[in-house]
Amino acid sequence: MLDDILDGARKAVAGLASTVGEGTRERTNKLIEDWLDIFPTLAGYGLEITSFSMALALSPSLNVELLGQHSDWSEEALQERMAAHKGETALTMVFTAIRTAYRLQRQTKASLRDPLILKVVVRITPEVRVVLGQPILED
């Protein structure tokens, strides 16, 4: 199923030629292609894709939401994963965002609530958002 989603996204990205200028299209295609490659790795670490969307516009974007368990993301596990994927920009960005979210959440001294939600928005400037618990208000 994940392969079908990723293949469909790749085909959608390839079809952007008619809506985006050549330079921007190539840059966006490359960026999205690079980010698509991380999702099988994240699935191997227990993050399941729960929502996948692609917006085709002058500035295309890919929006992916993943769900996981806090127990899979201890500080030790994060350190090991960061070391194993050193130099892989997209994965490093995701791991850094998760680690930072946990660190900041601990400073609040509030109880940690399930689930771990990872939201990745890829556009010319990628964005990674980590949610610890179920949000009440959506963006």
Side-chain angles (χ1 to χ4, degrees):
M1 180 173 116
L2 180 60
D3 289 337
D4 293 337
I5 292 171
L6 297 177
D7 187 50
R10 284 187 176 98
K11 287 178 182 172
V13 168
L16 291 174
S18 63
T19 60
V20 181
E22 188 65 27
T24 302
R25 180 182 59 81
E26 287 180 21
R27 183 173 168 208
T28 303
N29 286 352
K30 174 73 172 114
L31 181 64
I32 290 175
E33 285 285 333
D34 289 347
W35 278 84
L36 286 174
D37 291 340
I38 74 167
F39 295 111
T41 301
L42 293 175
Y45 291 137
L47 289 168
E48 176 187 358
I49 292 177
T50 58
S51 175
F52 187 98
S53 69
M54 175 102 191
L56 299 177
L58 289 177
S59 180
S61 66
L62 177 70
N63 298 279
V64 182
E65 186 176 275
L66 303 98
L67 231 57
Q69 302 292 321
H70 297 302
S71 58
D72 293 333
W73 295 92
S74 67
E75 182 63 33
E76 297 78 22
L78 277 162
Q79 287 176 354
E80 289 172 10
R81 292 169 188 167
M82 289 180 90
H85 296 282
K86 188 174 184 172
E88 297 177 50
T89 305
L91 281 170
T92 300
M93 187 175 179
V94 167
F95 297 151
T96 300
I98 292 171
R99 184 181 64 189
T100 301
Y102 278 123
R103 183 180 54 81
L104 293 174
Q105 190 277 339
R106 279 192 300 273
Q107 289 180 7
T108 69
K109 302 204 186 317
S111 299
L112 186 60
R113 297 182 61 179
D114 286 321
L116 165 63
I117 302 167
L118 174 67
K119 185 172 184 178
V120 177
V121 179
V122 180
R123 48 184 174 246
I124 296 298
T125 306
E127 171 186 331
V128 177
R129 180 174 302 165
V130 178
V131 179
L132 307 176
Q134 183 64 43
I136 302 298
L137 300 175
E138 297 297 321
D139 296 344

